[in-house]
Amino acid sequence: RVRVSRLHSELQQSMKRPRLAVAASAAAAVFTCHVPSNTEALSSSSSSSPLPDELRRALRSSPPPPSSSPANAAEANSTPLAYSSSEIIVFDLLSSADRSRSADAPDESFYSYPMLVQHNDDAFRSKLSALYSEVLPSSGGGTFLDLGSSWVSHLPDEPRPTNVWLHGMNREELERNPAGNGWKIVKSFNDLDEINKKLLSSSGEPSGESGGDNSITTTTMLLPEIPDSCVDVVGICASFQYWRFPERVVGEILRVLKPGGSCVVSFSNRMFASKAVGAWSSRTADRDRLRYVCDMLTRGARATEANTSSNVESKTTYGLKVERTLSDGSTMAAISAPISMMLGYQPFGDPFLAVVANKQPSRVVDNIRVK
C-alpha cells in the first residue's frame, strides 16, 4: 500500500509550486483508497520509484485557485428556513449493520483535505454528462443541485442550467468548482441529529409506506438554504454509498425537487472502502447495488405538499418513481476483475451505473425490477 506520509513528503520536496504540492497530497490519498488490498507489491513506493500515472494525471489536471466572485442573487437575498412547508415521512429501511462503516471517523476529519482528482475515468464522466443533457430542461435554464459534489459537476455544455447549487464535504473543493454559481453548502448528511438518532436506534425492520411504527414524520430540513420545490434536477455522483441515512436524503430530494423533476444517481465500482456503509459494501455485484439505490429512492420517503395552484385547500403526497437504470461496462468489469486486481487498475475502464427517478404523486410511484 502506498504510504501517504512518505509520498507526501517526497512530492512536496519536488514541487516548486504550492498549488501542485496541494494537489499531489490529495491525489496520494485518493490513490491509496483506489488500490485493491492485494496489490500491495505493485503499489509500494520508494524515493527512487516513479510517480503512479494516476498522480501524474492529477497534477496535470489540478484546477486553478478559485476566483472571488459575489454570490448570486438567489443566495444573497435568501434566508435559510427554519422548517419546511412540506411534511416529510422517512421510512426506516436499514438495520444498524447496514448503516455501519469499517472506519467510523467523523466525516469532517476524513474530508478535511481537498481531493482535487477525478474519481472516475474519462468515459464514465462523458456518459454522465450525456445523461445530464437528457434530463436537464432541453431549452436550458432551471436549477441543478449537485449533492455530494466536489470540484467538478460533470455538466454538459448544452443545455446549461441557470443555477448550479453545490453540496459537499470540503469548502475548497466547492469553491474550485467552475459550474457552481450559487449555494455552496458544506454539510455531512451523516451527522447524528435527532431524526438520524431515531433511525439509528430503531430496529431496522422494513416499515410500511403508509407510515408505520418505523416511520418518522418531520418538517426539519437537511438543507434549509434550499427552498421547497425549486430544483429541476438533483445529481448525485459517486456519493450515495457513503450516506448512512439514505432514506433521509431521499426525503430532502423530494422536498427540493419540483413535481416532475429528476434525480440522477451515478456510480461505478470504485469507493473509499472505509467510508462505504455496510448496505453497500455487503453488495458486491453491480446489479445488487442498482437494486439498493432503486429501493432507497422509491421506498425511502414521501413528501406531502399543499397544492398552491388550486383555490380549494388540498395536499398531494409525492414519491420518487424510477424511470430507468443504466449499466454500461458492468459485465466486462466483473469478468476482468482478477486481471484488474493484479494490475492495480481496470483495463476496460470504469463501469457506468446510474438510476434516473422522477418526482411523481405517490399513487403512480412503484418499485421496478432491475433487468
Side-chain angles (χ1 to χ4, degrees), residues 3-13 21 24-25 28 113:
R3 295 190 178 183
V4 177
S5 58
R6 182 169 62 187
L7 184 55
H8 183 201
S9 176
E10 294 171 5
L11 291 173
Q12 280 192 323
Q13 292 175 11
S25 176
Y113 207 92

Side-chain angles (χ1 to χ4, degrees), residues 219-337:
T219 57
T220 303
M221 297 169 289
L222 286 173
L223 301 173
E225 298 88 349
I226 309 299
D228 296 350
S229 302
C230 68
V231 174
D232 295 276
V233 177
V234 172
I236 303 169
C237 177
S239 294
F240 203 88
Q241 60 264 41
Y242 304 123
W243 292 334
R244 301 179 66 194
F245 309 98
E247 312 99 318
R248 181 88 183 280
V249 179
V250 170
E252 191 70 352
I253 293 170
L254 283 169
R255 181 186 71 80
V256 302
L257 271 181
K258 298 176 182 178
S262 298
C263 173
V264 178
V265 180
S266 60
F267 58 94
S268 72
N269 57 2
R270 293 175 179 258
M271 63 173 146
F272 294 114
S274 64
K275 300 300 288 183
V277 296
W280 191 270
S281 57
S282 64
R283 293 168 167 83
T284 56
D286 293 337
R287 179 188 181 96
D288 294 335
R289 287 172 176 172
L290 276 172
R291 282 200 183 100
Y292 169 73
V293 174
C294 290
D295 202 31
M296 293 299 106
L297 293 180
T298 57
R299 298 179 55 223
R302 294 290 184 269
T304 300
E305 304 173 2
N307 295 324
T308 58
S309 59
S310 173
N311 294 328
V312 180
E313 184 176 342
S314 61
K315 294 183 178 181
T316 300
T317 299
Y318 291 93
L320 288 175
K321 180 179 184 294
V322 171
E323 295 296 333
R324 55 176 164 151
T325 62
L326 296 90
S327 179
D328 190 352
S330 178
T331 302
M332 185 59 70
I335 294 174
S336 64

Side-chain angles (χ1 to χ4, degrees), residues 31-42:
F31 180 78
T32 300
C33 294
H34 283 172
V35 175
S37 58
N38 60 347
T39 60
E40 295 177 0
L42 293 174

Side-chain angles (χ1 to χ4, degrees), residues 86-319:
S86 300
E87 187 177 75
I88 307 299
I89 304 173
V90 179
F91 302 105
D92 181 15
L93 303 178
L94 301 178
S95 67
S96 57
D98 290 331
R99 303 186 195 279
S100 66
R101 300 178 292 187
S102 60
D104 243 348
D107 288 342
E108 290 77 6
S109 300
F110 185 85
Y111 297 104
S112 61
Y113 207 92
M115 300 182 188
L116 306 177
V117 296
Q118 296 286 3
H119 296 277
N120 293 105
D121 62 17
D122 292 344
F124 178 101
R125 301 195 301 272
S126 296
K127 293 170 185 175
L128 179 56
S129 295
L131 180 57
Y132 282 155
S133 69
E134 296 177 20
V135 298
L136 287 166
S138 58
S139 58
T143 297
F144 178 84
L145 174 60
D146 192 355
L147 294 183
S149 184
S150 180
W151 63 277
V152 61
S153 290
H154 313 296
L155 288 169
D157 293 332
E158 295 292 339
R160 198 73 175 181
T162 301
N163 302 310
V164 179
W165 298 341
L166 309 176
H167 156 269
M169 289 299 301
N170 184 277
R171 173 62 63 183
E172 183 175 346
E173 291 177 7
L174 300 186
E175 291 295 339
R176 286 176 178 267
N177 190 324
N181 61 5
W183 289 111
K184 298 176 181 179
I185 306 167
V186 177
K187 179 183 176 63
S188 172
F189 289 155
N190 295 327
D191 287 345
L192 291 179
D193 62 9
E194 181 180 355
I195 296 172
N196 286 350
K197 285 180 180 178
K198 289 181 180 179
L199 289 171
L200 190 62
S201 63
S202 64
S203 63
E205 293 296 326
S207 57
E209 294 180 3
S210 60
D213 293 338
N214 290 335
S215 66
I216 300 172
T217 301
T218 180
T219 57
T220 303
M221 297 169 289
L222 286 173
L223 301 173
E225 298 88 349
I226 309 299
D228 296 350
S229 302
C230 68
V231 174
D232 295 276
V233 177
V234 172
I236 303 169
C237 177
S239 294
F240 203 88
Q241 60 264 41
Y242 304 123
W243 292 334
R244 301 179 66 194
F245 309 98
E247 312 99 318
R248 181 88 183 280
V249 179
V250 170
E252 191 70 352
I253 293 170
L254 283 169
R255 181 186 71 80
V256 302
L257 271 181
K258 298 176 182 178
S262 298
C263 173
V264 178
V265 180
S266 60
F267 58 94
S268 72
N269 57 2
R270 293 175 179 258
M271 63 173 146
F272 294 114
S274 64
K275 300 300 288 183
V277 296
W280 191 270
S281 57
S282 64
R283 293 168 167 83
T284 56
D286 293 337
R287 179 188 181 96
D288 294 335
R289 287 172 176 172
L290 276 172
R291 282 200 183 100
Y292 169 73
V293 174
C294 290
D295 202 31
M296 293 299 106
L297 293 180
T298 57
R299 298 179 55 223
R302 294 290 184 269
T304 300
E305 304 173 2
N307 295 324
T308 58
S309 59
S310 173
N311 294 328
V312 180
E313 184 176 342
S314 61
K315 294 183 178 181
T316 300
T317 299
Y318 291 93

Side-chain angles (χ1 to χ4, degrees), residues 27-93:
V30 174
F31 180 78
T32 300
C33 294
H34 283 172
V35 175
S37 58
N38 60 347
T39 60
E40 295 177 0
L42 293 174
S43 62
S44 60
S45 173
S46 66
S47 58
S48 61
S49 300
L51 290 176
D53 289 341
E54 186 164 350
L55 295 189
R56 294 183 184 278
R57 290 195 298 271
L59 294 177
R60 289 198 297 268
S61 62
S62 178
S67 59
S68 56
S69 57
N72 71 355
E75 180 173 353
N77 298 327
S78 60
T79 302
L81 303 173
Y83 296 97
S84 170
S85 59
S86 300
E87 187 177 75
I88 307 299
I89 304 173
V90 179
F91 302 105
D92 181 15
L93 303 178

